[in-house]
Amino acid sequence: MMEGLLGGLSSVLQPVNLLILVVATLIGFLGGAIPGISGTMLVIILLPITYTMDPAAAFLLLTAIYASSVFSGSISAILFRTPGTPEAIATVFDGYPMAQKGQAGTALGVSIFSSAIGGLIGTIFLIFLTPLLAQSALKFSSPEYFALAVLGLTVVASLSGGDLIKGLIAVLIGLFLATFGLDALTGTERFTFGEPALLSGIGLIPVLIGLFAISEFLRKSREQNVEQKSFGKIKTKIFEIEIFKRIYKVIARSSLLGVFIGILPGVGATTASILSYSEAVRWSKNKKEYGTGIPEGVSAPETANNAAAVGAMVPLLALGIPGSATTAVILGAFILHGMQPGPMLFNTNKELMYTIFIGILVANLLILILSKPFIRLFSKITVIPYHIMGPIIVILCTIGTFSVRNSYFDVMIMFLFGILGYLFEKIKLPLAPIILGLVLGPIGEAEFRRSLEMSSGDYSVFFTRPISVTLLAIALIALIFPLIKARFRKKNDENTGIPT
């Protein structure tokens, strides 16, 4: 292994490869920060260009873009409440409120630090534990995936701002939206209303941008005098000891959770960010502070999504199974270069594997180095008056949404959910649980039905497998414990004479 790592380091340190890593990181920054453009899209666009490149240079380019774009989606999420990439969904919940409180630099610093640490920890796992983690991932079958989805959904109470009923309504809306399109198992049309564009379901990107970005534009447009948040000169502090004391436990937990979820084929960094945020809320002693703008709420999803992005490379390189949409494209790049990822590739092209490992490691270090000057330039647009900046954001959102599937229908969905998001906020219906249901709904439904097919309709399949029953037990405890705690607090207050 040491020989391979040294060979990979030697390859990465070649001037041409270092230049490619720097350029790829900046491309990833730009693509991730612009709403609607993701790392997946950038990798797809640049894939044909890599055909004529040396394999090492080609995969350094693609993987560095992937890693840096996952981070940079948080920049527009924090500054404009517009997630640049799907992986930055949960970053909006606390990142934007921090910016509104004049803490944009702190929020961005937490994002940079957490993203880099998450990516570095993910890379360390990728290097040293690829075979072991790949074997662990193979133990996950449909019952385990279903239990994982249920565990993620149990955090709805914490994301509801204290109103559980409205939170449940919101998560049910998300779960309902996840049923549109072709049934994943039977191919039956559901809620398509004869519209061909709905056959592929309601896309996450148009719903996400509509609920958060367009609704914010509508809200500000209704105000008589919009106070322009230019944030002045954003002083991004990547490391502050007081902030670190608050987030180091969150980083440790979220990086491990992110890597674990990342190696599960088909789950992805977006789900990791949502689940990590929910677990941060669950483990916190101050649950009500989440959503109001705290560093922990930025650190949790940013650590997890970057760790998961790297973790998704584990099943790709170890087994030849892509762990996410972007790694599926990278799988295509391997085939384009006449290679098949998997155990044999470590024997036939060991230097390339370790070059990729070291390249991802360096890309995460470049996030620490290059992010501050990039943010300094990107943040200049915050001085533009909102009556100009608002329409520009809407135009970028429209272009980004259209470009995902080249669909005008997606643009209409985006504006529809922009109006709905505006109305939901008027009646104080939380938006985060809608995204929670939309992301976890397809996983939960499909794996629940597959589990029953595996067991011929026997529901005990969920309770006879150690991993699934453990996850379901944790989910049950997470639901019951707050109720028991509230009951005991009420009883204690009654005994002490404190009015409830």
Side-chain angles (χ1 to χ4, degrees), residues 169-497:
I169 292 172
V171 81
L172 287 173
I173 291 173
L175 291 171
F176 175 63
L177 293 174
T179 63
F180 281 59
L182 293 178
D183 186 299
L185 301 185
T186 65
T188 305
E189 293 184 23
R190 302 188 302 190
F191 305 113
T192 58
F193 308 104
E195 173 57 56
L198 278 174
L199 290 174
S200 55
I202 294 180
L204 175 62
I205 296 294
V207 175
L208 173 65
I209 292 179
L211 285 178
F212 289 99
I214 304 301
S215 66
E216 179 71 2
F217 170 75
L218 293 175
R219 184 184 68 80
K220 286 189 174 181
S221 298
R222 294 286 294 173
E223 297 176 4
Q224 293 297 321
N225 296 301
V226 178
E227 182 183 351
Q228 175 63 18
K229 290 284 183 181
S230 68
F231 311 115
K233 185 178 180 181
I234 296 177
K235 296 181 179 179
T236 306
K237 295 182 179 180
I238 294 178
F239 183 83
E240 295 181 76
I241 189 64
E242 292 301 318
I243 298 293
F244 179 73
K245 288 178 181 178
R246 294 183 59 175
I247 66 174
Y248 75 93
K249 291 182 180 178
V250 173
I251 289 176
R253 181 171 58 247
S254 299
S255 58
L256 294 176
L257 182 63
V259 171
F260 177 69
I261 293 174
I263 66 173
L264 302 176
V267 180
T270 303
T271 303
S273 69
I274 291 282
L275 287 175
S276 182
Y277 186 87
S278 70
E279 289 307 305
V281 175
R282 197 191 313 279
W283 285 82
S284 175
K285 295 179 180 178
N286 303 303
K287 294 179 174 58
K288 291 184 179 179
E289 292 184 1
Y290 279 83
T292 63
I294 59 173
E296 294 91 326
V298 175
S299 179
E302 284 303 304
T303 304
N305 60 25
N306 283 267
V310 179
M313 296 290 291
V314 172
L316 173 67
L317 298 178
L319 303 171
I321 302 171
S324 66
T326 311
T327 53
V329 180
I330 295 174
L331 172 62
F334 274 105
I335 295 171
L336 188 68
H337 284 269
M339 293 178 279
Q340 177 61 48
M344 290 303 297
L345 197 58
F346 280 89
N347 296 326
T348 60
N349 212 327
K350 187 165 105 174
E351 184 178 340
L352 176 62
M353 291 296 96
Y354 283 101
T355 298
I356 292 172
F357 291 161
I358 299 298
I360 295 173
L361 194 70
V362 172
N364 281 284
L365 292 173
L366 287 173
I367 289 174
L368 285 172
I369 298 168
L370 300 177
S371 55
K372 282 185 69 173
F374 177 81
I375 289 172
R376 194 175 298 119
L377 291 172
F378 190 81
S379 63
K380 296 293 183 184
I381 63 177
T382 65
V383 301
I384 302 173
Y386 194 79
H387 67 271
I388 298 174
M389 192 63 220
I392 291 174
I393 291 174
V394 172
I395 291 170
L396 289 174
C397 289
T398 303
I399 294 171
T401 299
F402 174 80
S403 62
V404 173
R405 299 194 292 191
N406 293 328
S407 171
Y408 291 106
F409 187 80
D410 280 353
V411 175
M412 290 190 289
I413 291 291
M414 179 193 74
F415 283 110
L416 172 63
F417 277 92
I419 296 169
L420 289 175
Y422 173 75
L423 296 175
F424 288 160
E425 290 192 311
K426 282 288 186 183
I427 62 174
K428 299 193 182 307
L429 188 76
L431 301 182
I434 297 177
I435 300 300
L436 188 73
L438 185 59
V439 171
L440 298 180
I443 299 172
E445 182 202 2
E447 303 305 341
F448 176 76
R449 291 167 61 190
R450 286 194 184 100
S451 300
L452 293 181
E453 287 185 1
M454 285 170 50
S455 63
S456 300
D458 186 359
Y459 289 89
S460 66
V461 68
F462 300 108
F463 310 106
T464 54
R465 299 171 67 95
I467 298 176
S468 64
V469 73
T470 300
L471 292 173
L472 289 173
I474 295 171
L476 182 62
I477 293 169
L479 281 175
I480 295 175
F481 181 72
L483 299 176
I484 296 174
K485 186 178 179 181
R487 178 70 178 171
F488 273 100
R489 181 183 294 135
K490 183 178 180 181
K491 189 175 181 179
N492 184 59
D493 290 346
E494 288 173 352
N495 291 338
T496 56

Side-chain angles (χ1 to χ4, degrees), residues 6-253:
L6 289 172
L9 180 62
S10 175
S11 176
V12 168
L13 290 179
Q14 292 180 17
V16 173
N17 287 342
L18 271 179
L19 179 62
I20 286 172
L21 279 173
V22 172
V23 172
T25 303
L26 293 173
I27 291 173
F29 280 171
L30 189 61
I34 297 174
I37 300 180
S38 63
T40 305
M41 187 180 300
L42 289 171
V43 170
I44 290 171
I45 291 170
L46 293 174
L47 180 60
I49 298 174
T50 67
Y51 180 68
T52 57
M53 295 174 65
D54 176 74
F59 289 106
L60 287 175
L61 175 72
L62 298 178
T63 53
I65 288 174
Y66 178 35
S68 59
S69 65
V70 172
F71 149 72
S72 63
S74 66
I75 299 173
S76 53
I78 291 169
L79 296 180
F80 305 114
R81 202 193 184 206
T82 307
T85 59
E87 293 89 351
I89 291 173
T91 309
V92 173
F93 303 158
D94 279 274
Y96 184 71
M98 284 186 72
Q100 293 298 101
K101 291 192 294 186
Q103 300 174 1
T106 301
L108 289 167
V110 170
S111 173
I112 294 167
F113 183 76
S114 301
S115 297
I117 296 300
L120 290 170
I121 291 174
T123 308
I124 291 169
F125 274 86
L126 176 68
I127 293 171
F128 293 101
L129 297 177
T130 293
L132 179 61
L133 290 176
Q135 289 299 317
S136 299
L138 291 177
K139 294 179 181 178
F140 259 63
S141 188
S142 292
E144 286 76 24
Y145 282 119
F146 169 71
L148 189 65
V150 170
L151 180 62
L153 289 170
T154 58
V155 79
V156 62
S158 301
L159 297 180
S160 305
D163 194 330
L164 180 59
I165 300 300
K166 287 184 177 179
L168 289 173
I169 292 172
V171 81
L172 287 173
I173 291 173
L175 291 171
F176 175 63
L177 293 174
T179 63
F180 281 59
L182 293 178
D183 186 299
L185 301 185
T186 65
T188 305
E189 293 184 23
R190 302 188 302 190
F191 305 113
T192 58
F193 308 104
E195 173 57 56
L198 278 174
L199 290 174
S200 55
I202 294 180
L204 175 62
I205 296 294
V207 175
L208 173 65
I209 292 179
L211 285 178
F212 289 99
I214 304 301
S215 66
E216 179 71 2
F217 170 75
L218 293 175
R219 184 184 68 80
K220 286 189 174 181
S221 298
R222 294 286 294 173
E223 297 176 4
Q224 293 297 321
N225 296 301
V226 178
E227 182 183 351
Q228 175 63 18
K229 290 284 183 181
S230 68
F231 311 115
K233 185 178 180 181
I234 296 177
K235 296 181 179 179
T236 306
K237 295 182 179 180
I238 294 178
F239 183 83
E240 295 181 76
I241 189 64
E242 292 301 318
I243 298 293
F244 179 73
K245 288 178 181 178
R246 294 183 59 175
I247 66 174
Y248 75 93
K249 291 182 180 178
V250 173
I251 289 176
R253 181 171 58 247

